[in-house]
Amino acid sequence: MADREHAPAEALASARPAASTDLAPQPGVPSLGLFAAGRAGGPRQLAALQRLVGNHATSVAVQRAVAVQRDKDNEKPLADIQGFAMPQLLAALATLEPAAARTDKVAGAFVGGPRLVAAMNAVTMKGDWKAYATATAAELGSLPIDQITDIMKYVGAPKEARTFERGDFDGRFDAFVEPTTGLISLIFKAKVVPGGDPPPSPKEIETFKAQFKSIVESTWSGKGNVRPAYAAGLKVASFKTQVTVLWVDGGEHLPIDLKNTTYESGEISTDLKTGERRGGMAPDAGVVKKREQYQGQPKDPVTGKITPLVSEQSTAAHEFGHAIGVDHVAHGKRTEYGETQEEWDDVMGGGSKVQVVKDKAGKVLHDDFKPFERIGERWGKDFFPGALQSKNKWSAG
């Protein structure tokens, strides 16, 4: 038996063009790449495997895609150390001879893959952790969180910065909190599982991935701040919010069954026995479309016609909300997707707004920022001393 959460199934019309596959940075939100891919088999096994094989498959793909001139004199010393544990690898790279090998990224990618390249960049950019995190997003994305922590300490990230794994959040996502500038990053790892007869083509799968990542990140990032009830001792009183989507081949937070259908579909199902979550979507789930809501709307007394609520939404952005633990905007009511324009405009209704919905008295009825508040409270559990834990309550605003 499974519990299912669906995107709105109201009438659809006048689809807009697909979202751009290039996501522009959100205003005021630094583009930090402190994000780890899957950890199948646990951090030690994965780290050992990465050190042993040097991400060979990735290296081969790079070689096939771009014809480059490799320097074998640089490859040998890099190959000799690429299997070291991350702290030892960073120390060895800092004094590696010949010195040219320390910055030969082509040789590094060939013998050690993204892991070695990430370490090489850390050595050359030590002391500027923000620039490093931005420049090395792709390479960091291939590493488990324990190695990211080692690297970020090395490049000078503040000691209060923390990475958190899925176990703190019911397996829904990982997170990174940087309190100096005030940033909470939610890290979501997904895997596509093609299905149906016929299944989506490779081109359809890649288009879906690009659109999903773009629309989810642009819809959910930079739309508001969260803050603790007690901010004394913090460098900033509120934290910006950011989402990063990573496509992985294992260790995902959510497998997504991708199937061609004759109707628009989207759902997140949870197995009530195992707690396992699974997504189901069509290849066009990342496309923003017009949504109309007729349920709960009054009829015109003269014409008898119903004027619907109208908004725009992508199935991907809505289902992502369910995946990270957000209910429908009017959860528990007769029409869960909303009966007012404010509710219908919500991403967890029929629109694209990430917001807090309140009643006339100011009581919070729905809060799209709950996952970010949850991350903040997990960070606050480590930061605030015992007597202040009662103040470790976060809210949007």
Side-chain angles (χ1 to χ4, degrees), residues 5 172-173 277 319-327 348 367 370-371 374:
E5 299 163 316
R172 294 180 181 274
F173 49 81
R277 283 175 290 275
E319 296 303 334
F320 171 79
H322 287 313
I324 63 175
V326 186
D327 288 325
M348 300 313 296
D367 184 0
K370 280 186 176 180
R374 189 176 182 186

Side-chain angles (χ1 to χ4, degrees), residues 4-201:
R4 299 179 184 277
E5 299 163 316
H6 299 266
E10 284 67 38
L12 306 175
S14 61
R16 289 199 330 198
S20 168
T21 58
D22 295 321
L23 174 62
Q26 295 300 307
V29 179
S31 177
L32 303 181
L34 313 180
F35 313 122
R39 300 183 63 188
R44 288 187 175 84
Q45 291 104 314
L46 179 57
L49 179 61
Q50 287 179 318
R51 290 193 290 268
L52 285 172
V53 305
N55 290 302
H56 182 65
T58 303
S59 302
V60 171
V62 171
Q63 296 167 51
R64 289 176 178 172
V66 182
V68 295
Q69 294 294 324
R70 303 194 336 258
D71 190 332
K72 293 186 177 181
D73 290 336
N74 290 337
E75 287 176 9
K76 186 180 185 306
L78 288 169
D80 289 341
I81 64 171
Q82 68 93 14
F84 290 3
M86 186 57 71
Q88 288 71 41
L89 175 60
L90 292 166
L93 280 169
T95 58
L96 190 67
E97 295 295 340
R102 303 172 199 171
T103 57
D104 189 341
K105 307 298 172 53
V106 173
F110 178 75
V111 302
R115 177 179 183 271
L116 182 54
V117 172
M120 294 169 72
N121 283 332
V123 170
T124 58
M125 301 179 73
K126 185 177 182 181
D128 192 352
W129 73 271
K130 291 182 183 179
Y132 169 78
T134 301
T136 320
E139 290 80 10
L140 281 175
S142 71
L143 303 181
I145 282 184
D146 58 341
Q147 294 189 39
I148 293 176
T149 301
D150 290 337
I151 290 178
M152 295 312 296
K153 286 180 179 178
Y154 181 86
V155 295
K159 64 180 181 179
E160 296 87 359
R162 295 284 191 277
T163 53
F164 301 102
E165 296 184 87
R166 67 187 68 199
D168 289 309
F169 313 110
D170 302 323
R172 294 180 181 274
F173 49 81
D174 297 331
F176 174 78
V177 179
E178 197 287 284
T180 302
T181 59
L183 176 68
I184 290 181
S185 294
L186 185 153
I187 308 157
F188 183 76
K189 291 170 276 188
K191 175 183 178 180
V192 166
V193 182
D197 186 16
S201 67

Side-chain angles (χ1 to χ4, degrees), residues 107-368:
F110 178 75
V111 302
R115 177 179 183 271
L116 182 54
V117 172
M120 294 169 72
N121 283 332
V123 170
T124 58
M125 301 179 73
K126 185 177 182 181
D128 192 352
W129 73 271
K130 291 182 183 179
Y132 169 78
T134 301
T136 320
E139 290 80 10
L140 281 175
S142 71
L143 303 181
I145 282 184
D146 58 341
Q147 294 189 39
I148 293 176
T149 301
D150 290 337
I151 290 178
M152 295 312 296
K153 286 180 179 178
Y154 181 86
V155 295
K159 64 180 181 179
E160 296 87 359
R162 295 284 191 277
T163 53
F164 301 102
E165 296 184 87
R166 67 187 68 199
D168 289 309
F169 313 110
D170 302 323
R172 294 180 181 274
F173 49 81
D174 297 331
F176 174 78
V177 179
E178 197 287 284
T180 302
T181 59
L183 176 68
I184 290 181
S185 294
L186 185 153
I187 308 157
F188 183 76
K189 291 170 276 188
K191 175 183 178 180
V192 166
V193 182
D197 186 16
S201 67
K203 182 177 180 180
E204 286 178 314
I205 293 172
E206 290 309 309
T207 298
F208 166 77
K209 286 182 175 182
Q211 291 178 344
F212 183 101
K213 177 178 173 65
S214 177
I215 197 64
V216 167
E217 290 180 342
S218 62
T219 298
W220 284 87
S221 295
K223 294 307 187 314
N225 292 3
V226 296
R227 65 181 67 232
Y230 181 84
L234 298 179
K235 291 184 172 62
V236 293
S238 65
F239 289 62
K240 296 178 287 291
T241 54
Q242 176 177 284
V243 165
T244 293
V245 173
L246 295 172
W247 292 107
V248 297
D249 293 324
E252 67 275 3
H253 298 117
L254 184 75
I256 299 176
D257 295 318
L258 193 66
K259 298 180 181 180
N260 284 305
T261 62
T262 56
Y263 57 92
E264 186 176 34
S265 65
E267 67 175 18
I268 304 295
S269 62
T270 303
D271 188 302
L272 298 182
K273 291 184 178 180
T274 66
E276 179 183 354
R277 283 175 290 275
R278 197 168 192 93
M281 298 181 203
D284 66 348
V287 178
V288 176
K289 298 180 180 180
K290 183 179 179 180
R291 310 285 197 200
E292 295 180 340
Q293 167 68 301
Y294 288 84
Q295 294 180 347
Q297 301 311 300
K299 290 184 179 180
D300 185 286
V302 178
T303 65
K305 293 183 178 180
I306 296 176
T307 300
L309 302 175
V310 179
S311 199
E312 294 182 329
Q313 183 189 75
S314 73
T315 297
H318 179 95
E319 296 303 334
F320 171 79
H322 287 313
I324 63 175
V326 186
D327 288 325
H328 287 135
V329 66
H331 180 68
K333 296 182 180 179
R334 181 171 62 89
T335 307
E336 290 204 344
Y337 298 112
E339 295 184 357
T340 68
Q341 189 64 56
E342 181 184 26
E343 290 176 337
W344 186 242
D345 284 339
D346 195 281
V347 68
M348 300 313 296
S352 298
K353 287 186 177 180
V354 175
Q355 61 183 356
V356 176
V357 178
K358 300 179 180 180
D359 64 14
K360 292 181 179 180
K363 179 183 177 182
V364 173
L365 302 176
H366 174 79
D367 184 0
D368 291 318

